[in-house]
Amino acid sequence: MSEPTFAALVSRWYERNARDLPWREPGIGAWAILVSEVMLQQTPVVRVLPAWEAWLARWPVPIALAEDTPAEAIRMWGRLGYPRRAVRLRDCAVAIMERHGGEVPDRLDQLLALPGVGTYTARAVAAFAFGQRHPVVDTNVRRVVCRAIAGEPDAGPATRPADLVATEELLPAEPAEAALASAAFMELGAMVCTARAPRCTICPVESVCAWRASGQAAPTGPTRRPQRYAGTDRQVRGLLLAVLREATGPVPHQRLDQVWHDDVQRARALAGLVTDGLVEPVGEESFRLTGDGPAVPLPHS
């Protein structure tokens, strides 16, 4: 009897140890999975869970979000971080309505063409929602493949085409098994093969891990320089958005002036929000969340 493949070892471990997350439930639907993948970008699961549940309770299908305003999407996003994702999700819902009759498409090229859907998200939806064979490569997967296959302690800060090739070579030929393996690789990197404190003694591929065999230590410094938040434009943007989210109409410039003491930085942050499509001016002296007014129903084909 042949030895189990790398993917088979990780998939067996996953089936016994995977976290019970609602977007992994059978039959959950492509829209719910797409929303989860967008929310999970640079955001911990514990913060995403309540936001995901609230979002889908309000907008369970793309048309519901498409027919609401960008402002409401921004409000619902709350303090999840990187609020442009809320606007992109709404843009995505509109595109799904206009191009695909309200159903999330199952073709990779069509997923990639949706607003705000990049290489990772498109492949994640194709694999996890439609059971297709695609390499789904995030930071966790890159780390697992780099360590176990290439024998290197760290995968570096950015996904490269070579990472997609290396991961795809590990996937089983059968699409459903490949989709399971993709989820398993990700879970292994998130829960066991972590960046700073890998739990090698409980890893299902310890015996075949090239990095473990090499005896190299885990990196001692951060892969990426931690991003400072206090005092940055990002903090000021968040403070401005918090005021605008709570408002029921346009907010006078004077009210926004109270948010932050540095006039130049505050003006720069506000201008950035306008450029990013999150905020729009109302006349010369007030601002509001983009599209903060009555929703305009989309034309139905």
Side-chain angles (χ1 to χ4, degrees):
M1 182 179 296
S2 61
E3 293 294 320
T5 65
F6 182 87
L9 290 170
V10 182
S11 294
R12 291 174 187 173
W13 168 86
Y14 176 81
E15 290 179 317
R16 296 190 299 269
N17 297 281
R19 289 169 291 177
D20 183 17
L21 301 175
W23 45 81
R24 291 176 174 170
E25 294 179 3
I28 192 64
W31 172 243
I33 290 173
L34 173 57
V35 172
S36 76
E37 291 297 343
V38 172
M39 287 186 168
L40 286 164
Q41 295 167 14
Q42 299 179 284
T43 309
V45 167
V46 67
R47 293 185 60 206
V48 167
L49 275 167
W52 179 84
E53 291 170 347
W55 190 278
L56 290 173
R58 180 166 181 177
W59 299 306
V61 290
I63 187 174
L65 176 57
E67 292 190 332
D68 214 329
T69 64
E72 288 307 302
I74 297 167
R75 283 196 174 94
M76 279 294 290
W77 198 260
R79 295 185 177 274
L80 202 56
Y82 305 97
R84 276 179 291 181
R85 291 181 291 172
V87 177
R88 297 295 175 266
L89 255 179
R90 183 187 174 274
D91 291 343
C92 187
V94 172
I96 289 170
M97 288 302 305
E98 293 176 344
R99 304 174 194 173
H100 306 291
E103 299 294 331
V104 177
D106 61 0
R107 281 174 34 190
L108 182 60
D109 61 332
Q110 293 176 334
L111 287 165
L112 285 166
L114 293 174
V117 174
T119 296
Y120 165 78
T121 303
R123 285 169 170 77
V125 173
F128 304 147
F130 300 110
Q132 298 176 10
R133 185 183 187 276
H134 295 289
V136 183
V137 181
D138 69 350
T139 299
N140 292 315
V141 174
R142 286 192 299 109
R143 185 168 57 251
V144 167
V145 175
C146 185
R147 286 177 175 173
I149 306 303
E152 299 295 330
D154 197 285
T159 300
R160 305 161 299 169
D163 296 319
L164 293 172
V165 173
T167 304
E168 186 169 15
E169 290 176 349
L170 298 173
L171 296 178
E174 203 280 318
E177 292 180 6
L180 175 64
S182 290
F185 294 165
M186 195 175 301
E187 188 78 345
L188 186 68
M191 304 305 295
V192 175
C193 191
T194 57
R196 300 290 157 248
R199 303 161 66 196
C200 295
T201 57
I202 65 167
C203 180
V205 292
E206 180 192 16
S207 63
V208 297
C209 176
W211 176 58
R212 184 73 163 162
S214 74
Q216 296 184 67
T220 56
T223 302
R224 303 181 184 183
R225 185 183 298 274
Q227 292 185 344
R228 183 172 59 92
Y229 180 74
T232 62
D233 284 5
R234 186 177 165 217
Q235 182 188 16
V236 182
R237 285 163 60 102
L239 294 171
L240 292 167
L241 276 180
V243 172
L244 292 161
R245 279 198 307 267
E246 295 298 322
T248 57
V251 177
H253 210 305
Q254 295 89 332
R255 171 67 182 89
L256 296 176
D257 288 347
Q258 300 171 24
V259 165
W260 192 252
H261 61 278
D262 187 324
D263 294 346
V264 173
Q265 187 179 24
R266 186 181 64 250
R268 184 172 64 241
L270 184 57
L273 292 172
V274 173
T275 299
D276 290 344
L278 297 167
V279 172
E280 60 187 13
V282 181
E284 296 183 357
E285 296 297 330
S286 298
F287 293 83
R288 68 181 184 184
L289 296 178
T290 296
D292 196 3
V296 178
L298 294 174
H300 295 280
S301 57

